Amino acid sequence: MTSEITINNKIAFLSLMLISGLGFSQVTDSIPDSQMELHEPVTAMAMETDKDTVNDFKKIKLDGVAAVVGDYVILDSDIDKTLIDLRNQGASTQDVTRCSLLGKLMEDRLYAHQAVQDSILVSDDEVNATSDRQIQSLVAQIGSMDKLLRFYHKEDEASFREELYKINKLRMLSEKMQQKIVEGIEVTPEEVRQFFKKIPEDERPVFGAEMEIAQIVKSPQPTAAEKQKAIDKLNTIKADIEDNNASFSVKAILYSQDPGSKSNGGAYSITKQTGFAKEFMDVAYSLQQGEISEPFETDFGYHIIYCEKIRGQERDIRHILIQPEISQKVLDNARKELDSIRQGIIDGKFTFAQAALNFSDEKETKFDGGLLRNPTNFDSRFELTKMDPTLYNQVRNLKDNEISQPILEEDPRGGSPKYKIMKVTNRYDEHVADFSKDYLKIQELALREKQFNTIKKWMKDHIEDTYITVNAENRDCNFANNWVKE
């Protein structure tokens, strides 16, 4: 970035860079429905580019090439696709220029090119597992593979997977290179202090209104009889598959209660890095190809797993989830227990923190007075404008020292429902950054600046050492980096 950028602008850029990872266009494992606008395909392929060696550069029509970075060619069409992707994701493109998009695409290719030079590896298993998760998520959202192929204007699944493989390979190489550049970077308290001191008073960041929230949770448990019913049902399904050659896929569609895989026959492709429950992964990797597990339990319920195929460290599996039923009586008892706890706090028999420690079923919060932690930075404060909408709606009408009535909350991941009571323990008005009160936030900004400067220096050094050429039509761009090497 140029030296004219103010500290506040730099902070804004750093936040964008670290939130977006690779920047403007990424394929994620889950794409919200709000991005799926059917009038024009969401360009999940927006970062696609053909990887050609510089020796093959002459074979490509010259006016179709925007730039070459090391072994990667960026076509004019790549810029167009990235712009479409931005619009489909609802981002404002008013101030986005082709030059800025080209510069970002060149950065991504430089990271990926150098990753290869530094022998940073991304295995086929990793890439394929990522692609499989993305496809499973997209199929679940759109409805079927046929609809997905029509949506992306692809003739068959093989060509779709090939294209997605190229995108994910480049993205993952780029991410690993960026992680390597900034790994181990830390800031000392003195560096944080110096960072804050150099910000002019009239340019110090303003932090929005925040609150701290505590909760006490009761998680109703199914009875032993209901658990056994789930196990018996899975054993019956397993026996029908093994003894009568019934289809595991069909059984999953009919009976599984996993919303993420039910529609595609319970199918998942996993590696040992897949973030499933430990019990689930242990069973999946204990099976031989063609084997079906015995019923086993996780926090989500009871499962059986069928190991369909083994490819090195990757497994193609199918599973069926049955959740033991929690009776209305058990739910009502949990609500009544929370009513009693709430009244005890109001009557002064114990504090909210004491009640959380003694009565809450939520291990993550009970030992900290029920205090929730912000998942973005593990701070106890939640900025109102950035809060999860569901959480915000649960507490927005609570007054100081008021305790909510019991709230029934469904588990979005498919687990059992739970009841909770909530309290806003502290409120913080919008304010200009204060070193003592906002140290953690300032520390994070100082770390981001140090990472930014490290990446900036890395980029400058490697641009000088890498074969780069920019099409004549793009040489007048005011790039942030010295791509034209003037």
Side-chain angles (χ1 to χ4, degrees), residues 3 26 71 95 115 126 130 162 200 206 239 271 331 341 377 447 450:
S3 59
Q26 269 193 50
D71 290 339
D95 298 323
E126 289 180 88
T130 297
E162 181 181 0
V206 175
T271 67
L331 285 171
I341 294 169
N377 57 11
L447 176 62
K450 192 170 183 179

Side-chain angles (χ1 to χ4, degrees), residues 88-213:
N88 279 327
Q89 294 184 41
S92 172
T93 58
Q94 183 176 354
D95 298 323
V96 175
T97 65
R98 288 183 65 83
C99 287
S100 64
L101 289 177
L102 175 58
K104 190 69 188 74
L105 292 177
M106 293 177 75
E107 288 180 19
D108 296 339
R109 273 59 178 177
L110 182 59
Y111 289 131
H113 170 78
Q114 193 58 44
V116 174
Q117 307 307 307
D118 290 355
S119 299
I120 294 176
L121 302 178
V122 175
S123 70
D124 288 348
D125 283 352
E126 289 180 88
V127 180
N128 288 326
T130 297
S131 299
D132 285 339
R133 289 195 300 271
Q134 291 164 349
I135 290 172
Q136 289 163 5
S137 176
L138 288 168
V139 167
Q141 293 177 51
I142 294 179
S144 69
M145 177 58 73
D146 288 341
K147 289 181 180 179
L148 180 64
L149 296 177
R150 289 198 302 271
F151 188 68
Y152 287 108
H153 301 289
K154 295 298 172 185
E155 293 183 1
D156 52 49
E157 184 177 345
S159 62
F160 183 76
R161 285 183 176 276
E162 181 181 0
E163 197 168 312
L164 196 55
Y165 176 91
K166 293 178 182 178
I167 298 165
N168 283 329
K169 184 69 175 282
L170 187 147
R171 176 178 63 83
M172 293 167 77
L173 282 171
S174 181
E175 286 177 344
K176 285 197 172 185
M177 189 69 248
Q178 292 179 73
Q179 291 165 4
K180 181 181 177 182
I181 295 168
V182 300
E183 69 181 0
I185 294 179
E186 298 178 346
V187 287
T188 65
E190 181 58 27
E191 286 177 314
V192 178
R193 186 181 301 278
Q194 292 302 321
F195 167 81
F196 187 71
K197 284 178 64 176
K198 74 181 180 183
I199 305 176
E201 286 193 19
D202 60 348
E203 292 185 14
R204 287 178 180 172
V206 175
F207 297 126
E210 299 171 310
M211 62 172 61
E212 290 181 331
I213 304 165

Side-chain angles (χ1 to χ4, degrees), residues 32-43:
D33 291 338
S34 60
Q35 296 177 14
M36 308 296 285
E37 300 180 17
L38 294 176
H39 64 275
E40 184 176 24
V42 177
T43 315

